[in-house]
Amino acid sequence: MDKDLMRRWNSVVKPDDTVYHLGDFSLQPAKQVSQLLSHLNGTKHLIVGNHDTVKGVHGWSSVQDLAMTHVDDYKVFLCHYPMREWPGMWHGALHLYGHVHGNMQPLPGSMDMGADVWGGYPVTLDQIMKAIKPFSKDLQPKQDPFRVLSWP
């Protein structure tokens, strides 16, 4: 399985590409994860998932819990976990996440980036934009979110 996933990765990712992996990269020990990373193209950034080993792993350019980045004209919020709201949501920021293995319907403006959703291949923002449901500010709640409800 590892060899096939590495083949898929390197068939898409060029040596000078930048890749953000949204967590749960491998359950292997640190030495084996480092070896896997050394065979993968690109500058690799990890958004830590609940199954990632990070101590003693070499090969990530950065390791973060969350990240906000810009790709072309898009602001993109990255987290391993899906969120109902995310930073920049009401200003057009996209939210890309993993963790749920395609078992949750994405909210408009967000997308599950799990390998099992995308056939085990890394994807480009162009591919994501063709699949993502656009977010609309019209979805904003109409009632006051601070209104206290009283029970009879």
Side-chain angles (χ1 to χ4, degrees), residues 7-52:
R7 179 191 58 75
R8 291 177 190 210
W9 178 298
N10 287 333
S11 74
V12 173
V13 178
K14 304 302 174 230
D16 56 345
D17 286 344
T18 299
V19 178
Y20 286 88
H21 193 284
L22 298 180
D24 293 352
F25 178 77
S26 177
L27 292 170
Q28 303 285 345
K31 183 177 181 180
Q32 288 172 288
V33 173
S34 297
Q35 288 173 342
L36 286 171
L37 288 168
S38 72
H39 295 289
L40 297 175
N41 290 338
T43 301
K44 300 165 285 290
H45 301 271
L46 177 65
I47 305 299
V48 180
N50 54 306
H51 295 295
D52 285 311

mmCIF file of all heavy atoms in Angstrom, residues 7-52:
data_model
loop_
_atom_site.group_PDB
_atom_site.id
_atom_site.type_symbol
_atom_site.label_atom_id
_atom_site.label_comp_id
_atom_site.label_asym_id
_atom_site.label_seq_id
_atom_site.Cartn_x
_atom_site.Cartn_y
_atom_site.Cartn_z
ATOM 1 N N ARG A 7 3.760 6.069 -5.278
ATOM 2 C CA ARG A 7 3.716 6.172 -6.737
ATOM 3 C C ARG A 7 2.664 7.199 -7.156
ATOM 4 O O ARG A 7 2.926 8.056 -8.002
ATOM 5 C CB ARG A 7 3.383 4.808 -7.352
ATOM 6 C CG ARG A 7 3.303 4.835 -8.878
ATOM 7 C CD ARG A 7 2.713 3.558 -9.448
ATOM 8 N NE ARG A 7 1.377 3.251 -8.964
ATOM 9 C CZ ARG A 7 0.250 3.869 -9.357
ATOM 10 N NH1 ARG A 7 0.308 4.845 -10.237
ATOM 11 N NH2 ARG A 7 -0.921 3.511 -8.870
ATOM 12 N N ARG A 8 1.491 7.154 -6.523
ATOM 13 C CA ARG A 8 0.428 8.108 -6.851
ATOM 14 C C ARG A 8 0.868 9.536 -6.524
ATOM 15 O O ARG A 8 0.641 10.458 -7.297
ATOM 16 C CB ARG A 8 -0.853 7.754 -6.097
ATOM 17 C CG ARG A 8 -1.488 6.487 -6.587
ATOM 18 C CD ARG A 8 -2.699 6.135 -5.762
ATOM 19 N NE ARG A 8 -3.147 4.791 -6.095
ATOM 20 C CZ ARG A 8 -4.401 4.402 -6.025
ATOM 21 N NH1 ARG A 8 -5.340 5.242 -5.627
ATOM 22 N NH2 ARG A 8 -4.734 3.173 -6.338
ATOM 23 N N TRP A 9 1.458 9.723 -5.349
ATOM 24 C CA TRP A 9 1.940 11.048 -4.931
ATOM 25 C C TRP A 9 2.919 11.592 -5.965
ATOM 26 O O TRP A 9 2.756 12.703 -6.474
ATOM 27 C CB TRP A 9 2.609 10.919 -3.564
ATOM 28 C CG TRP A 9 3.209 12.168 -2.987
ATOM 29 C CD1 TRP A 9 4.237 12.920 -3.503
ATOM 30 C CD2 TRP A 9 2.836 12.808 -1.767
ATOM 31 N NE1 TRP A 9 4.530 13.966 -2.676
ATOM 32 C CE2 TRP A 9 3.686 13.925 -1.597
ATOM 33 C CE3 TRP A 9 1.894 12.529 -0.784
ATOM 34 C CZ2 TRP A 9 3.613 14.765 -0.498
ATOM 35 C CZ3 TRP A 9 1.824 13.370 0.313
ATOM 36 C CH2 TRP A 9 2.656 14.479 0.454
ATOM 37 N N ASN A 10 3.956 10.817 -6.268
ATOM 38 C CA ASN A 10 5.021 11.296 -7.160
ATOM 39 C C ASN A 10 4.570 11.423 -8.613
ATOM 40 O O ASN A 10 5.208 12.133 -9.395
ATOM 41 C CB ASN A 10 6.251 10.412 -7.043
ATOM 42 C CG ASN A 10 6.978 10.644 -5.728
ATOM 43 O OD1 ASN A 10 6.913 11.726 -5.146
ATOM 44 N ND2 ASN A 10 7.650 9.620 -5.238
ATOM 45 N N SER A 11 3.460 10.786 -8.976
ATOM 46 C CA SER A 11 2.933 10.946 -10.334
ATOM 47 C C SER A 11 2.261 12.304 -10.515
ATOM 48 O O SER A 11 2.093 12.774 -11.639
ATOM 49 C CB SER A 11 1.938 9.829 -10.672
ATOM 50 O OG SER A 11 0.700 10.025 -10.006
ATOM 51 N N VAL A 12 1.918 12.947 -9.408
ATOM 52 C CA VAL A 12 1.208 14.234 -9.438
ATOM 53 C C VAL A 12 2.092 15.376 -8.943
ATOM 54 O O VAL A 12 2.100 16.458 -9.508
ATOM 55 C CB VAL A 12 -0.077 14.146 -8.564
ATOM 56 C CG1 VAL A 12 -0.743 15.496 -8.439
ATOM 57 C CG2 VAL A 12 -1.041 13.108 -9.124
ATOM 58 N N VAL A 13 2.832 15.140 -7.883
ATOM 59 C CA VAL A 13 3.630 16.184 -7.228
ATOM 60 C C VAL A 13 5.026 16.237 -7.844
ATOM 61 O O VAL A 13 5.733 15.233 -7.907
ATOM 62 C CB VAL A 13 3.732 15.918 -5.706
ATOM 63 C CG1 VAL A 13 4.600 16.979 -5.032
ATOM 64 C CG2 VAL A 13 2.344 15.859 -5.073
ATOM 65 N N LYS A 14 5.397 17.419 -8.302
ATOM 66 C CA LYS A 14 6.729 17.643 -8.861
ATOM 67 C C LYS A 14 7.686 18.061 -7.740
ATOM 68 O O LYS A 14 7.247 18.531 -6.685
ATOM 69 C CB LYS A 14 6.680 18.723 -9.948
ATOM 70 C CG LYS A 14 5.686 18.424 -11.062
ATOM 71 C CD LYS A 14 5.993 17.107 -11.736
ATOM 72 C CE LYS A 14 4.938 16.720 -12.736
ATOM 73 N NZ LYS A 14 4.442 15.372 -12.589
ATOM 74 N N PRO A 15 8.999 17.918 -7.937
ATOM 75 C CA PRO A 15 9.951 18.220 -6.856
ATOM 76 C C PRO A 15 9.829 19.627 -6.270
ATOM 77 O O PRO A 15 10.076 19.818 -5.075
ATOM 78 C CB PRO A 15 11.314 18.020 -7.528
ATOM 79 C CG PRO A 15 11.045 16.990 -8.578
ATOM 80 C CD PRO A 15 9.671 17.328 -9.103
ATOM 81 N N ASP A 16 9.429 20.620 -7.070
ATOM 82 C CA ASP A 16 9.360 21.985 -6.538
ATOM 83 C C ASP A 16 7.933 22.409 -6.160
ATOM 84 O O ASP A 16 7.691 23.579 -5.873
ATOM 85 C CB ASP A 16 9.998 22.983 -7.491
ATOM 86 C CG ASP A 16 9.396 22.952 -8.885
ATOM 87 O OD1 ASP A 16 8.689 21.973 -9.210
ATOM 88 O OD2 ASP A 16 9.635 23.895 -9.653
ATOM 89 N N ASP A 17 6.984 21.480 -6.133
ATOM 90 C CA ASP A 17 5.618 21.779 -5.675
ATOM 91 C C ASP A 17 5.562 21.867 -4.155
ATOM 92 O O ASP A 17 6.409 21.300 -3.456
ATOM 93 C CB ASP A 17 4.646 20.681 -6.125
ATOM 94 C CG ASP A 17 4.331 20.733 -7.608
ATOM 95 O OD1 ASP A 17 4.597 21.773 -8.247
ATOM 96 O OD2 ASP A 17 3.816 19.721 -8.124
ATOM 97 N N THR A 18 4.556 22.567 -3.656
ATOM 98 C CA THR A 18 4.295 22.647 -2.218
ATOM 99 C C THR A 18 3.045 21.839 -1.915
ATOM 100 O O THR A 18 2.024 21.981 -2.581
ATOM 101 C CB THR A 18 4.079 24.115 -1.783
ATOM 102 O OG1 THR A 18 5.279 24.849 -2.064
ATOM 103 C CG2 THR A 18 3.764 24.211 -0.295
ATOM 104 N N VAL A 19 3.143 20.985 -0.891
ATOM 105 C CA VAL A 19 2.036 20.109 -0.507
ATOM 106 C C VAL A 19 1.723 20.310 0.967
ATOM 107 O O VAL A 19 2.625 20.324 1.809
ATOM 108 C CB VAL A 19 2.392 18.618 -0.742
ATOM 109 C CG1 VAL A 19 1.263 17.713 -0.286
ATOM 110 C CG2 VAL A 19 2.757 18.376 -2.182
ATOM 111 N N TYR A 20 0.437 20.457 1.261
ATOM 112 C CA TYR A 20 -0.042 20.442 2.649
ATOM 113 C C TYR A 20 -0.766 19.130 2.859
ATOM 114 O O TYR A 20 -1.741 18.833 2.164
ATOM 115 C CB TYR A 20 -0.994 21.611 2.916
ATOM 116 C CG TYR A 20 -0.288 22.933 3.032
ATOM 117 C CD1 TYR A 20 -0.043 23.709 1.909
ATOM 118 C CD2 TYR A 20 0.152 23.393 4.268
ATOM 119 C CE1 TYR A 20 0.616 24.921 2.008
ATOM 120 C CE2 TYR A 20 0.819 24.606 4.378
ATOM 121 C CZ TYR A 20 1.043 25.356 3.243
ATOM 122 O OH TYR A 20 1.699 26.554 3.346
ATOM 123 N N HIS A 21 -0.283 18.324 3.795
ATOM 124 C CA HIS A 21 -0.946 17.061 4.133
ATOM 125 C C HIS A 21 -1.787 17.324 5.376
ATOM 126 O O HIS A 21 -1.286 17.834 6.381
ATOM 127 C CB HIS A 21 0.088 15.961 4.406
ATOM 128 C CG HIS A 21 -0.534 14.606 4.452
ATOM 129 N ND1 HIS A 21 -1.255 14.180 5.531
ATOM 130 C CD2 HIS A 21 -0.578 13.623 3.540
ATOM 131 C CE1 HIS A 21 -1.713 12.969 5.285
ATOM 132 N NE2 HIS A 21 -1.307 12.604 4.071
ATOM 133 N N LEU A 22 -3.068 16.971 5.320
ATOM 134 C CA LEU A 22 -3.998 17.338 6.392
ATOM 135 C C LEU A 22 -4.149 16.270 7.458
ATOM 136 O O LEU A 22 -5.210 16.088 8.052
ATOM 137 C CB LEU A 22 -5.351 17.726 5.792
ATOM 138 C CG LEU A 22 -5.265 18.943 4.880
ATOM 139 C CD1 LEU A 22 -6.620 19.300 4.309
ATOM 140 C CD2 LEU A 22 -4.663 20.132 5.606
ATOM 141 N N GLY A 23 -3.074 15.586 7.732
ATOM 142 C CA GLY A 23 -3.003 14.726 8.901
ATOM 143 C C GLY A 23 -3.261 13.257 8.652
ATOM 144 O O GLY A 23 -3.758 12.841 7.618
ATOM 145 N N ASP A 24 -2.885 12.467 9.679
ATOM 146 C CA ASP A 24 -2.939 11.005 9.627
ATOM 147 C C ASP A 24 -2.120 10.481 8.451
ATOM 148 O O ASP A 24 -2.569 9.658 7.666
ATOM 149 C CB ASP A 24 -4.385 10.502 9.569
ATOM 150 C CG ASP A 24 -5.154 10.770 10.851
ATOM 151 O OD1 ASP A 24 -4.522 11.205 11.844
ATOM 152 O OD2 ASP A 24 -6.366 10.555 10.870
ATOM 153 N N PHE A 25 -0.897 10.971 8.375
ATOM 154 C CA PHE A 25 0.011 10.586 7.301
ATOM 155 C C PHE A 25 0.417 9.119 7.414
ATOM 156 O O PHE A 25 0.405 8.382 6.431
ATOM 157 C CB PHE A 25 1.258 11.482 7.306
ATOM 158 C CG PHE A 25 2.260 11.128 6.256
ATOM 159 C CD1 PHE A 25 2.045 11.488 4.933
ATOM 160 C CD2 PHE A 25 3.412 10.423 6.575
ATOM 161 C CE1 PHE A 25 2.959 11.152 3.943
ATOM 162 C CE2 PHE A 25 4.326 10.086 5.594
ATOM 163 C CZ PHE A 25 4.101 10.447 4.283
ATOM 164 N N SER A 26 0.799 8.692 8.620
ATOM 165 C CA SER A 26 1.258 7.316 8.793
ATOM 166 C C SER A 26 1.204 6.924 10.266
ATOM 167 O O SER A 26 1.428 7.747 11.147
ATOM 168 C CB SER A 26 2.698 7.181 8.283
ATOM 169 O OG SER A 26 3.183 5.874 8.508
ATOM 170 N N LEU A 27 0.945 5.643 10.491
ATOM 171 C CA LEU A 27 0.979 5.084 11.846
ATOM 172 C C LEU A 27 2.332 4.447 12.144
ATOM 173 O O LEU A 27 2.526 3.871 13.209
ATOM 174 C CB LEU A 27 -0.131 4.037 12.016
ATOM 175 C CG LEU A 27 -1.552 4.571 11.988
ATOM 176 C CD1 LEU A 27 -2.560 3.420 11.911
ATOM 177 C CD2 LEU A 27 -1.834 5.432 13.206
ATOM 178 N N GLN A 28 3.274 4.556 11.214
ATOM 179 C CA GLN A 28 4.592 3.945 11.359
ATOM 180 C C GLN A 28 5.433 4.701 12.397
ATOM 181 O O GLN A 28 5.182 5.870 12.676
ATOM 182 C CB GLN A 28 5.319 3.983 10.009
ATOM 183 C CG GLN A 28 4.592 3.317 8.878
ATOM 184 C CD GLN A 28 4.652 1.805 8.951
ATOM 185 O OE1 GLN A 28 5.457 1.232 9.672
ATOM 186 N NE2 GLN A 28 3.785 1.162 8.203
ATOM 187 N N PRO A 29 6.478 4.052 12.930
ATOM 188 C CA PRO A 29 7.423 4.742 13.816
ATOM 189 C C PRO A 29 8.157 5.863 13.071
ATOM 190 O O PRO A 29 8.236 5.865 11.839
ATOM 191 C CB PRO A 29 8.403 3.639 14.231
ATOM 192 C CG PRO A 29 7.696 2.353 13.951
ATOM 193 C CD PRO A 29 6.760 2.621 12.805
ATOM 194 N N ALA A 30 8.715 6.791 13.827
ATOM 195 C CA ALA A 30 9.352 7.996 13.278
ATOM 196 C C ALA A 30 10.375 7.694 12.193
ATOM 197 O O ALA A 30 10.402 8.363 11.155
ATOM 198 C CB ALA A 30 9.998 8.812 14.397
ATOM 199 N N LYS A 31 11.228 6.702 12.386
ATOM 200 C CA LYS A 31 12.271 6.384 11.403
ATOM 201 C C LYS A 31 11.648 5.988 10.059
ATOM 202 O O LYS A 31 12.102 6.433 9.004
ATOM 203 C CB LYS A 31 13.167 5.264 11.927
ATOM 204 C CG LYS A 31 14.316 4.926 11.015
ATOM 205 C CD LYS A 31 15.219 3.868 11.623
ATOM 206 C CE LYS A 31 16.373 3.562 10.680
ATOM 207 N NZ LYS A 31 17.268 2.548 11.234
ATOM 208 N N GLN A 32 10.594 5.192 10.098
ATOM 209 C CA GLN A 32 9.958 4.766 8.855
ATOM 210 C C GLN A 32 9.200 5.919 8.182
ATOM 211 O O GLN A 32 9.198 6.021 6.956
ATOM 212 C CB GLN A 32 9.028 3.586 9.125
ATOM 213 C CG GLN A 32 9.807 2.312 9.431
ATOM 214 C CD GLN A 32 8.909 1.197 9.898
ATOM 215 O OE1 GLN A 32 8.399 1.242 11.009
ATOM 216 N NE2 GLN A 32 8.725 0.215 9.035
ATOM 217 N N VAL A 33 8.592 6.789 8.989
ATOM 218 C CA VAL A 33 7.906 7.954 8.418
ATOM 219 C C VAL A 33 8.924 8.845 7.716
ATOM 220 O O VAL A 33 8.692 9.311 6.597
ATOM 221 C CB VAL A 33 7.130 8.735 9.500
ATOM 222 C CG1 VAL A 33 6.559 10.025 8.928
ATOM 223 C CG2 VAL A 33 6.015 7.882 10.099
ATOM 224 N N SER A 34 10.076 9.046 8.346
ATOM 225 C CA SER A 34 11.140 9.857 7.738
ATOM 226 C C SER A 34 11.596 9.257 6.414
ATOM 227 O O SER A 34 11.827 9.980 5.435
ATOM 228 C CB SER A 34 12.326 9.989 8.685
ATOM 229 O OG SER A 34 11.950 10.672 9.864
ATOM 230 N N GLN A 35 11.723 7.937 6.363
ATOM 231 C CA GLN A 35 12.119 7.272 5.118
ATOM 232 C C GLN A 35 11.053 7.458 4.037
ATOM 233 O O GLN A 35 11.384 7.728 2.882
ATOM 234 C CB GLN A 35 12.373 5.788 5.368
ATOM 235 C CG GLN A 35 13.647 5.526 6.134
ATOM 236 C CD GLN A 35 13.812 4.059 6.520
ATOM 237 O OE1 GLN A 35 12.856 3.284 6.509
ATOM 238 N NE2 GLN A 35 15.028 3.690 6.884
ATOM 239 N N LEU A 36 9.783 7.309 4.404
ATOM 240 C CA LEU A 36 8.697 7.530 3.437
ATOM 241 C C LEU A 36 8.773 8.948 2.869
ATOM 242 O O LEU A 36 8.684 9.148 1.660
ATOM 243 C CB LEU A 36 7.336 7.318 4.098
ATOM 244 C CG LEU A 36 6.914 5.889 4.401
ATOM 245 C CD1 LEU A 36 5.652 5.887 5.260
ATOM 246 C CD2 LEU A 36 6.686 5.113 3.121
ATOM 247 N N LEU A 37 8.918 9.938 3.762
ATOM 248 C CA LEU A 37 8.954 11.337 3.335
ATOM 249 C C LEU A 37 10.124 11.609 2.383
ATOM 250 O O LEU A 37 9.991 12.405 1.456
ATOM 251 C CB LEU A 37 9.029 12.264 4.547
ATOM 252 C CG LEU A 37 7.747 12.367 5.371
ATOM 253 C CD1 LEU A 37 8.012 13.077 6.694
ATOM 254 C CD2 LEU A 37 6.661 13.086 4.580
ATOM 255 N N SER A 38 11.243 10.935 2.607
ATOM 256 C CA SER A 38 12.419 11.165 1.762
ATOM 257 C C SER A 38 12.189 10.700 0.316
ATOM 258 O O SER A 38 12.905 11.128 -0.586
ATOM 259 C CB SER A 38 13.649 10.474 2.350
ATOM 260 O OG SER A 38 13.562 9.067 2.193
ATOM 261 N N HIS A 39 11.198 9.860 0.089
ATOM 262 C CA HIS A 39 10.905 9.355 -1.259
ATOM 263 C C HIS A 39 9.780 10.119 -1.949
ATOM 264 O O HIS A 39 9.423 9.788 -3.082
ATOM 265 C CB HIS A 39 10.551 7.871 -1.208
ATOM 266 C CG HIS A 39 11.686 7.005 -0.765
ATOM 267 N ND1 HIS A 39 12.798 6.763 -1.551
ATOM 268 C CD2 HIS A 39 11.891 6.339 0.396
ATOM 269 C CE1 HIS A 39 13.627 5.974 -0.897
ATOM 270 N NE2 HIS A 39 13.110 5.699 0.284
ATOM 271 N N LEU A 40 9.212 11.113 -1.275
ATOM 272 C CA LEU A 40 8.085 11.863 -1.837
ATOM 273 C C LEU A 40 8.530 13.213 -2.367
ATOM 274 O O LEU A 40 9.268 13.938 -1.691
ATOM 275 C CB LEU A 40 6.992 12.056 -0.781
ATOM 276 C CG LEU A 40 6.339 10.782 -0.265
ATOM 277 C CD1 LEU A 40 5.357 11.117 0.855
ATOM 278 C CD2 LEU A 40 5.657 10.017 -1.382
ATOM 279 N N ASN A 41 8.054 13.563 -3.547
ATOM 280 C CA ASN A 41 8.368 14.856 -4.153
ATOM 281 C C ASN A 41 7.711 15.997 -3.388
ATOM 282 O O ASN A 41 6.705 15.805 -2.697
ATOM 283 C CB ASN A 41 7.864 14.902 -5.598
ATOM 284 C CG ASN A 41 8.645 14.019 -6.534
ATOM 285 O OD1 ASN A 41 9.791 13.666 -6.261
ATOM 286 N ND2 ASN A 41 8.041 13.658 -7.650
ATOM 287 N N GLY A 42 8.265 17.189 -3.566
ATOM 288 C CA GLY A 42 7.653 18.407 -3.060
ATOM 289 C C GLY A 42 8.165 18.865 -1.720
ATOM 290 O O GLY A 42 8.856 18.148 -1.004
ATOM 291 N N THR A 43 7.812 20.108 -1.410
ATOM 292 C CA THR A 43 8.033 20.668 -0.085
ATOM 293 C C THR A 43 6.793 20.328 0.714
ATOM 294 O O THR A 43 5.689 20.743 0.359
ATOM 295 C CB THR A 43 8.223 22.197 -0.176
ATOM 296 O OG1 THR A 43 9.345 22.460 -1.017
ATOM 297 C CG2 THR A 43 8.428 22.806 1.199
ATOM 298 N N LYS A 44 6.978 19.552 1.766
ATOM 299 C CA LYS A 44 5.852 18.943 2.468
ATOM 300 C C LYS A 44 5.608 19.610 3.819
ATOM 301 O O LYS A 44 6.523 19.739 4.619
ATOM 302 C CB LYS A 44 6.119 17.448 2.641
ATOM 303 C CG LYS A 44 6.281 16.734 1.294
ATOM 304 C CD LYS A 44 6.886 15.354 1.412
ATOM 305 C CE LYS A 44 8.355 15.317 1.674
ATOM 306 N NZ LYS A 44 9.235 15.744 0.591
ATOM 307 N N HIS A 45 4.340 19.996 4.049
ATOM 308 C CA HIS A 45 3.914 20.599 5.309
ATOM 309 C C HIS A 45 2.852 19.690 5.924
ATOM 310 O O HIS A 45 1.938 19.241 5.226
ATOM 311 C CB HIS A 45 3.319 21.987 5.075
ATOM 312 C CG HIS A 45 4.273 22.929 4.422
ATOM 313 N ND1 HIS A 45 5.148 23.713 5.147
ATOM 314 C CD2 HIS A 45 4.503 23.205 3.114
ATOM 315 C CE1 HIS A 45 5.868 24.441 4.307
ATOM 316 N NE2 HIS A 45 5.492 24.147 3.066
ATOM 317 N N LEU A 46 2.958 19.450 7.214
ATOM 318 C CA LEU A 46 1.990 18.602 7.902
ATOM 319 C C LEU A 46 1.077 19.435 8.783
ATOM 320 O O LEU A 46 1.539 20.221 9.612
ATOM 321 C CB LEU A 46 2.695 17.562 8.779
ATOM 322 C CG LEU A 46 1.782 16.664 9.613
ATOM 323 C CD1 LEU A 46 0.919 15.769 8.725
ATOM 324 C CD2 LEU A 46 2.589 15.829 10.597
ATOM 325 N N ILE A 47 -0.221 19.258 8.593
ATOM 326 C CA ILE A 47 -1.223 19.725 9.546
ATOM 327 C C ILE A 47 -1.540 18.488 10.371
ATOM 328 O O ILE A 47 -2.076 17.503 9.853
ATOM 329 C CB ILE A 47 -2.480 20.270 8.820
ATOM 330 C CG1 ILE A 47 -2.102 21.370 7.810
ATOM 331 C CG2 ILE A 47 -3.501 20.746 9.836
ATOM 332 C CD1 ILE A 47 -1.433 22.590 8.407
ATOM 333 N N VAL A 48 -1.170 18.509 11.633
ATOM 334 C CA VAL A 48 -1.155 17.304 12.469
ATOM 335 C C VAL A 48 -2.545 16.707 12.651
ATOM 336 O O VAL A 48 -3.499 17.407 12.988
ATOM 337 C CB VAL A 48 -0.527 17.615 13.851
ATOM 338 C CG1 VAL A 48 -0.510 16.369 14.724
ATOM 339 C CG2 VAL A 48 0.884 18.161 13.680
ATOM 340 N N GLY A 49 -2.621 15.395 12.440
ATOM 341 C CA GLY A 49 -3.832 14.636 12.687
ATOM 342 C C GLY A 49 -3.730 13.855 13.982
ATOM 343 O O GLY A 49 -2.669 13.811 14.615
ATOM 344 N N ASN A 50 -4.807 13.216 14.355
ATOM 345 C CA ASN A 50 -4.830 12.497 15.623
ATOM 346 C C ASN A 50 -4.014 11.206 15.607
ATOM 347 O O ASN A 50 -3.786 10.613 16.660
ATOM 348 C CB ASN A 50 -6.274 12.206 16.058
ATOM 349 C CG ASN A 50 -7.076 11.483 15.006
ATOM 350 O OD1 ASN A 50 -7.168 11.931 13.872
ATOM 351 N ND2 ASN A 50 -7.679 10.376 15.381
ATOM 352 N N HIS A 51 -3.529 10.756 14.453
ATOM 353 C CA HIS A 51 -2.727 9.536 14.383
ATOM 354 C C HIS A 51 -1.297 9.788 13.927
ATOM 355 O O HIS A 51 -0.590 8.840 13.575
ATOM 356 C CB HIS A 51 -3.387 8.519 13.442
ATOM 357 C CG HIS A 51 -4.703 8.019 13.924
ATOM 358 N ND1 HIS A 51 -4.842 7.279 15.068
ATOM 359 C CD2 HIS A 51 -5.942 8.171 13.411
ATOM 360 C CE1 HIS A 51 -6.116 6.977 15.241
ATOM 361 N NE2 HIS A 51 -6.808 7.521 14.258
ATOM 362 N N ASP A 52 -0.858 11.039 13.908
ATOM 363 C CA ASP A 52 0.485 11.343 13.421
ATOM 364 C C ASP A 52 1.543 11.242 14.498
ATOM 365 O O ASP A 52 1.349 11.703 15.623
ATOM 366 C CB ASP A 52 0.528 12.762 12.828
ATOM 367 C CG ASP A 52 -0.140 12.820 11.481
ATOM 368 O OD1 ASP A 52 0.180 11.964 10.638
ATOM 369 O OD2 ASP A 52 -0.986 13.699 11.284
#
